Amino acid sequence: MTKDNLINEAIKIRDKAYVPYSKFPVGAALLTESGKIYTGCNIENAAYPVTCCAERVAIFKAIADGETKFSEMAVAADTKRPVPPCGSCRQVMSEFFQSDMTIHLTNLKLDIKTISMENLLPFSFQPEDMLEK
């Protein structure tokens, strides 16, 4: 699987986004270490806080299918710059992705920013931060 294939999957899944309120479709494609791709699109709700972003949809689909090891992700939207994930997605990503995992952020003009999880959300809150001493 190449970076371009993963980006194309992210762009393609945008068409399935349910975005009647924002009109802002986003797509994500997540590659597992086993070679499987999980895609996700954003799904809105009239009660806006329960909306789910594309990145989390892809991650949650993979987790629900028993996949827990990931190697790469692409996120795409129609933006001026490569689309940045929201804070909620960054936190979820930081829990399930290794700090050196590659994430490709892009727009429909194929401007691409490739970044590691650590650089996307440095000093993130982790499960071990909740453990008692």
Side-chain angles (χ1 to χ4, degrees):
M1 172 62 49
T2 68
K3 170 178 77 171
D4 292 340
N5 294 122
L6 202 59
I7 288 170
N8 287 335
E9 290 296 318
I11 291 171
K12 188 167 62 173
I13 194 68
R14 287 178 63 255
D15 292 338
K16 295 189 178 181
Y18 177 74
V19 291
Y21 311 106
S22 72
K23 310 285 192 258
F24 183 68
V26 179
L30 176 61
L31 179 63
T32 67
E33 286 186 4
S34 68
K36 188 166 182 183
I37 296 175
Y38 287 86
T39 58
C41 56
N42 50 329
I43 302 167
E44 296 179 346
N45 190 276
Y48 214 71
V50 296
T51 292
C52 197
C53 300
E55 299 92 325
R56 286 181 282 146
V57 169
I59 293 166
F60 296 161
K61 282 170 61 177
I63 296 293
D65 207 20
E67 295 278 359
T68 58
K69 295 183 187 234
F70 308 107
S71 58
E72 207 170 349
M73 179 179 245
V75 184
D78 190 7
T79 49
K80 290 182 182 180
R81 62 180 179 158
V83 65
C86 75
S88 295
C89 287
R90 290 176 196 221
Q91 179 58 43
V92 170
M93 292 162 75
S94 77
E95 182 155 335
F96 292 106
F97 297 171
Q98 295 294 315
S99 63
D100 63 346
M101 187 173 131
T102 301
I103 302 159
H104 308 288
L105 309 175
T106 192
N107 57 20
L108 299 186
K109 297 178 286 185
L110 296 179
D111 298 323
I112 300 167
K113 179 171 183 69
T114 298
I115 191 167
S116 69
M117 186 63 241
E118 173 66 26
N119 288 325
L120 185 62
L121 185 61
F123 197 63
S124 63
F125 186 79
Q126 294 295 309
E128 57 267 17
D129 294 324
M130 298 187 312
L131 299 177
E132 293 183 35
K133 290 185 178 184

